[in-house]
Amino acid sequence: MSAPPPPAAVAPAAPPQQAPFPLTFTVHATWNKARVATLSLPHNPRCRTPMFMPVGTQGAIKGLTAQQMEDLDVDLILGNTYFLSLRPGGEAMEKLGGLHKFASWRRAMLTDSGGFQMVSLLDLSELTEEGVSFISPVDGTRMLLTPEKSIQIQNQIGADVMMALDDVVSSLTTGPRVEEAMHRTIRWLDRCYAAHKRPTEQNLFAIVQGGLDPRLRTMCMAEMKKRDGHIPGYAIGGLSGGEDKNLFWRVVHQCTSELPQNKPRYLMGVGYPLDLLVCSALGVDMFDCVYPCRTARFGTALADCPGGVIHLRSDKFALSKEPIDAQCHCMVCHEYTMGRLHQLACHEGGAELITMHNIAYQMRHMQRIRDAIKGGTFPDLVRYFIRTLHPKGDLPTWAKDALEAAGLPDLGLEELRQMAPPKEIPTPVQEEAKDDDEE
Amino acid sequence: MNFQVAARAGLARTGTLHTPHGDLATPGCLMATMRGIVPHLAKDVLSRIPYANGLEIYFAEMLESEGFALLERFGVSAHTHLNATQNILCLSLRNAMVYNLDGPANDNRITVSGEGGKHPVNAELFARACRLLQPDFACAMADEPVSTCSRKRAGKAVTTTGKYLDAILAQGDLKCPLFGVVAGGSSPEERVRSAELTATRPVAGFLLGGFGLGETPQERDCIFPLVMAKLPAEKPRMIAGLGTPVEVMQAVANGVDVFSSAYPLIESEAGNALVFPLSPSSQESDPFKLNMRSGRWELEQVPLVAGCGCYTCQRHTRAYVRHLLNTHEMTGDILLMIHNAYHYLQFFAAIRECISADASHPPADGAHSQFEQLRQRIVASMLLPL
């Protein structure tokens, strides 16, 4: 970066009047930091948090219909601004009446800012204070994504929740670039709010940056809190990029402690079932991740079993007459045996089905998290989860530490370790190194 | 299995094929499958498409991907294994999507190709598959050379196909009804000989084999009436290898009851939406199909077919389907296949209505039947620019 350092962001002189956001966030119950709430959005007044939000990159969840997503009781889906800006394009989207109408999706929707592609399409992008310049992977043309442009497109898409364009750096990056990105994120945030044309219809969330450095995170949140009157909700960004989980959870813990209590918190790019449980305990309300859909396309089903995943391509399921999960109410567990899914997963035709089950699993997982918070039985759920997915007491240290910080010092791990049979438990095979925001 | 004809108009007939797993309204179509599933259509989606209850499953795929040994260890029928208890299953050797009968054949065995290579099939293996899978009916082994073969080759195919049938019948109880195959390529004489021969055997129905392999419509016009005259009217007749609406109507007009077709899938994979007219009295100038990948639909917020009852048309637009195809989203293939399967099966429903109407109100002298009006409407739609 050879550009002269831009002026420091100037916070509004007086705390602005609380804007009438097109959102209400009503907390019904808490357990320590964890909370159950209703997030009321223009296209869905009853989003139940903590919630998992499946990713519909280009206006559809891969391999599923809108009807199936409704059958799965999904409250909110994501769209990717960058990809939608390429096809069909912002202008076309506006003419088509926005993404809700275009995709005939009747529930809530959230769009990212397009900024994540700074990381995922790094080779195709170039960053200046003005914005990020991308070379389109579709036709090779160059597009300058500025905060103003991102908001313009997101206004054209018309999702219930929009995200401010942030300067995203990989969570593996260290040094001055992280601090620079945090400051730029604040400057861009002000430009985003200035550019927002539909504040009574769409909520614009701010994204906390600052890498893995608690000092930078605090600085970022302090700046944002000065602007709290403009901000209907907060996202925790810059995580889930392959960083040390011991640092990951501490950043989440720090952010949920320092962010305003009365506004929703969205942890971007997190979606492993254990992470959802732990981060819900830390007080996160919204999650998104391509993991359940992507892993399905590799033949992996999510289930309450040792390791938490079932690799359906494994020959050991060829003869199975059992569903993935007898407790699961999804169409796939109702209609298909694992033996049948094994055959389909090894060829084609299995991806859509396993995707459907995995989303159903995530929805059920979030439902039991909400029920446990409401019913005061959250510790029981955590112990059940550990007993079922980590029967040898082999819970990762970071999760143990995070749960302890969340108020669960006694997880019964030692007991499990002593009880555990010496039998080998299949360990999940990681077919993807990291999660990308787009699929 | 029980077949009942409800109405006749000329050689065409409409009726019902009753099976333990449901009824197929005829003329009707069995959907082509890959490894037992209709591509792109999960069970919840398929179950919402009217008349999509008949499936054709393929011998080579069952042999390969299920593995007969595996199924024998399972000890379950195809209905159970595929969880297709509400589906009529027909076991066929010839794959509707790709011609797979070009391997070596002799008096005792044919060769079917699958993804895993070529598999010799003799009467014993065929009977074993029938007993194991217990489909609602199975089509017998046949020698089906391409239509351009010599009369001598066609004659040999008829003789060999007859030998296969007798060898299968000698295997004892197959635990499923068997359709005998009428072979004979493009030779009218050999087709008649095959029909006569097959008609004398104790089969539940007939498969008109070897069509869609290069013969002309004129050759079919010549062969169909000759063959049908030799087949007992009370038994169902199936045809494989034909699927376009005009081909279907030509066969129906000659008395064919059951089709097996990958036509909706083939059009879907080509990115086309079937929009041809489904009513003999339709006055709209609908084209035959739409190229859904075309940029002309970018802002078209209308269904694929106005008034269509399918999920895709009820909920989505040409613009959205085009966008999903354009961005290679799997959901685009699903939405297009839902519409095409629905439209195609409604086409068969329209044919049945025309036959019933023509049977109860025969057209006046010189007037066109409802059936013929529908055919002409469809042919006219094919002449319109896409």
Side-chain angles (χ1 to χ4, degrees):
Chain A
M1 301 304 306
S2 58
V10 180
Q17 196 96 34
Q18 184 84 12
F21 301 121
L23 162 161
T24 62
F25 182 69
T26 312
V27 176
H28 304 299
T30 58
W31 183 89
N32 290 351
K33 291 183 79 179
R35 62 242 200 118
V36 169
T38 299
L39 176 63
S40 183
L41 295 168
H43 290 90
N44 187 351
R46 280 181 297 278
C47 297
R48 297 151 292 179
T49 70
M51 75 170 157
F52 178 78
M53 312 179 289
V55 182
T57 307
Q58 314 195 77
I61 306 293
K62 293 199 186 307
L64 298 186
T65 65
Q67 168 82 59
Q68 287 171 324
M69 294 300 286
E70 285 171 4
D71 292 347
L72 290 167
D73 212 11
V74 170
D75 282 333
L76 187 156
I77 61 171
L78 258 69
N80 279 103
T81 294
Y82 178 67
F83 290 103
L84 290 167
S85 76
L86 295 173
R87 295 177 298 195
E91 303 293 317
M93 190 62 87
E94 192 166 24
K95 288 181 193 154
L96 290 159
L99 185 55
H100 274 97
K101 182 169 179 228
F102 181 47
S104 186
W105 176 247
R106 296 158 184 161
R107 299 188 183 183
M109 220 175 244
L110 180 152
T111 44
D112 69 353
S113 63
F116 183 78
Q117 279 68 39
M118 283 182 224
V119 176
S120 66
L121 300 176
L122 189 61
D123 296 342
L124 299 172
S125 70
E126 192 186 323
L127 179 74
T128 63
E129 182 61 21
E130 177 64 11
V132 206
S133 164
F134 290 106
I135 296 169
S136 160
V138 178
D139 60 6
T141 55
R142 195 167 268 279
M143 179 184 91
L144 180 65
L145 185 70
T146 61
E148 292 77 15
K149 182 74 182 166
S150 170
I151 297 303
Q152 184 198 353
I153 298 166
Q154 292 191 72
N155 279 156
Q156 287 167 328
I157 295 171
D160 301 74
V161 178
M162 317 191 296
M163 303 307 298
L165 184 69
D166 49 350
D167 183 359
V168 190
V169 292
S170 161
S171 55
L172 303 175
T173 305
T174 53
R177 174 74 184 95
V178 182
E179 180 155 3
E180 178 202 49
M182 186 275 287
H183 288 298
R184 184 172 289 121
T185 295
I186 304 282
R187 292 191 297 273
W188 283 5
L189 181 66
D190 292 337
R191 287 168 58 186
C192 284
Y193 280 106
H196 185 12
K197 295 280 194 299
R198 300 173 66 184
T200 59
E201 300 160 275
Q202 294 180 271
N203 297 285
L204 176 55
F205 278 29
I207 304 174
V208 178
Q209 288 290 351
L212 303 171
D213 184 340
R215 186 183 61 90
L216 294 181
R217 289 277 172 181
T218 296
M219 282 168 69
C220 187
M221 283 186 279
E223 283 299 323
M224 286 180 176
K225 275 189 267 186
K226 292 180 197 166
R227 296 155 174 83
D228 188 54
H230 287 306
I231 302 177
Y234 291 87
I236 304 166
L239 296 177
S240 200
E243 70 279 1
D244 182 353
K245 283 268 185 168
N246 290 300
L247 300 173
F248 158 83
W249 79 260
R250 286 186 168 83
V251 172
V252 175
H253 186 38
Q254 181 198 355
C255 291
T256 52
S257 297
E258 294 179 28
L259 284 171
Q261 292 297 311
N262 61 340
K263 299 203 171 162
R265 298 99 172 237
Y266 160 30
L267 179 54
M268 304 178 85
V270 166
Y272 293 124
L274 174 63
D275 299 18
L276 295 173
L277 186 72
V278 170
C279 295
S280 292
L282 293 172
V284 173
D285 307 301
M286 303 157 73
F287 302 89
D288 83 287
C289 192
V290 298
Y291 168 69
C293 302
R294 174 172 298 178
T295 203
R297 299 200 293 278
F298 291 92
T300 303
L302 304 180
D304 280 357
C305 64
V309 289
I310 295 174
H311 298 293
L312 287 163
R313 287 181 186 169
S314 162
D315 281 347
K316 68 182 175 188
F317 298 110
L319 287 169
S320 172
K321 292 182 190 178
E322 303 297 319
I324 297 169
D325 182 350
Q327 307 297 314
C328 181
H329 296 300
C330 84
M331 183 278 286
V332 179
C333 288
H334 206 71
E335 298 278 359
Y336 297 83
T337 63
M338 286 200 284
R340 184 79 183 113
L341 290 167
H342 164 78
Q343 290 152 2
L344 297 175
C346 288
H347 299 277
E348 54 186 291
E352 299 95 321
L353 297 172
I354 303 169
T355 299
M356 192 175 206
H357 164 79
N358 283 358
I359 292 177
Y361 179 88
Q362 298 287 77
M363 293 299 129
R364 198 157 56 96
H365 186 47
M366 299 316 291
Q367 183 63 52
R368 68 186 173 189
I369 289 173
R370 292 191 296 268
D371 289 346
I373 296 169
K374 250 188 291 192
T377 55
F378 195 74
D380 298 336
L381 173 64
V382 172
R383 289 194 192 96
Y384 161 80
F385 189 86
I386 293 170
R387 203 166 60 236
T388 311
L389 277 80
H390 303 276
K392 286 200 301 188
D394 52 343
L395 187 70
T397 313
W398 73 267
K400 181 180 171 298
D401 294 344
L403 287 167
E404 191 171 331
L408 269 168
D410 176 24
L411 299 171
L413 293 175
E414 200 46 50
E415 202 179 325
L416 283 173
R417 283 189 200 110
Q418 282 162 13
M419 280 166 48
K423 198 175 109 231
E424 192 183 330
I425 288 168
T427 48
V429 179
Q430 294 292 330
E431 73 279 350
E432 60 266 61
K434 72 181 182 87
D435 293 312
D436 289 345
D437 202 16
E438 77 279 5
E439 298 187 64
Chain B
M1 192 176 75
N2 171 10
F3 179 61
Q4 285 175 327
V5 174
R8 285 186 171 80
L11 291 177
R13 59 223 205 138
T14 178
T16 309
L17 186 67
H18 301 279
T19 81
H21 298 94
D23 296 343
L24 185 74
T26 67
C29 185
L30 306 170
M31 308 282 281
T33 62
M34 284 175 77
R35 283 175 283 277
I37 58 166
V38 181
H40 306 304
L41 303 181
K43 269 188 205 303
D44 57 334
V45 172
L46 186 68
S47 68
R48 289 174 193 156
I49 300 176
Y51 311 116
N53 62 326
L55 306 179
E56 185 175 45
I57 58 175
Y58 300 109
F59 194 94
E61 291 182 348
M62 293 294 125
L63 183 69
E64 284 172 2
S65 88
E66 320 300 340
F68 286 174
L70 203 63
L71 283 182
E72 277 171 351
R73 280 170 65 192
F74 262 116
V76 296
S77 69
H79 282 98
T80 308
H81 180 58
L82 302 176
N83 191 18
T85 50
Q86 305 299 311
N87 292 114
I88 300 161
L89 296 182
C90 164
L91 178 65
S92 292
L93 289 148
R94 178 175 167 189
N95 191 303
M97 296 181 216
V98 53
Y99 181 63
N100 65 332
L101 300 177
D102 52 348
N106 62 25
D107 281 359
N108 300 315
R109 63 167 175 85
I110 60 166
T111 302
V112 294
S113 315
E115 277 186 353
K118 293 182 183 297
H119 308 283
V121 182
N122 61 18
E124 192 192 345
L125 181 63
F126 180 84
R128 190 177 146 211
C130 289
R131 285 192 282 261
L132 184 62
L133 299 167
Q134 295 177 36
D136 291 294
F137 58 100
C139 297
M141 293 156 58
D143 184 9
E144 300 190 34
V146 293
S147 301
T148 48
C149 72
S150 65
R151 161 94 196 260
K152 187 183 168 198
R153 177 70 183 86
K156 179 174 173 292
V158 171
T159 305
T160 318
T161 300
K163 283 181 182 170
Y164 296 154
L165 181 58
D166 289 337
I168 291 166
L169 291 169
Q171 296 289 323
D173 184 10
L174 297 175
K175 292 194 176 172
C176 75
L178 181 69
F179 278 28
V181 181
V182 176
S186 298
S187 161
E189 296 81 3
E190 294 302 336
R191 284 280 178 183
V192 168
R193 187 165 75 87
S194 184
E196 282 174 338
L197 186 154
T198 314
T200 61
R201 301 300 193 274
V203 290
F206 303 92
L207 172 73
L208 277 63
F211 285 98
L213 296 177
E215 77 283 358
T216 63
Q218 292 73 27
E219 284 173 319
R220 287 198 293 270
D221 260 337
C222 167
I223 290 165
F224 281 158
L226 296 172
V227 168
M228 293 304 181
K230 302 294 179 188
L231 299 179
E234 70 279 8
K235 290 184 181 175
R237 300 128 175 199
M238 176 172 164
I239 197 162
L242 299 183
T244 70
V246 170
E247 289 171 345
V248 167
M249 293 194 82
Q250 182 190 25
V252 167
N254 282 287
V256 171
D257 307 299
V258 179
F259 293 76
S260 75
S261 174
Y263 184 70
L265 176 69
I266 291 164
E267 290 291 4
S268 300
E269 308 238 302
N272 294 322
L274 297 174
V275 299
F276 59 82
L278 295 177
S279 161
S281 55
S282 162
Q283 292 303 311
E284 293 162 54
S285 53
D286 295 325
F288 183 78
K289 59 188 176 186
L290 304 177
N291 172 8
M292 291 312 298
R293 294 194 182 120
S294 163
R296 64 192 278 214
W297 313 124
E298 185 186 11
L299 301 173
E300 288 290 312
Q301 301 260 60
V302 296
L304 276 51
V305 172
C308 175
C310 82
Y311 167 77
T312 304
C313 289
Q314 291 282 309
R315 181 138 188 185
H316 294 293
T317 62
R318 292 180 184 180
Y320 184 60
V321 171
R322 181 260 170 184
H323 165 72
L324 295 180
L325 293 178
N326 194 30
T327 51
H328 307 287
E329 283 287 336
M330 292 151 80
T331 307
D333 300 321
I334 293 170
L335 293 180
L336 191 51
M337 182 64 183
I338 289 172
H339 170 77
N340 283 343
Y342 180 94
H343 195 85
Y344 191 64
L345 293 168
Q346 288 297 316
F347 160 64
F348 281 87
I351 288 176
R352 293 191 292 272
E353 278 175 32
C354 286
I355 296 170
S356 295
D358 290 335
S360 49
H361 302 287
D365 283 348
H368 284 314
S369 66
Q370 296 279 303
F371 184 89
E372 179 58 18
Q373 284 180 45
L374 176 61
R375 197 187 71 81
Q376 290 188 5
R377 290 280 305 118
I378 292 173
V379 170
S381 77
M382 295 170 74
L383 301 175
L384 292 169
L386 293 185

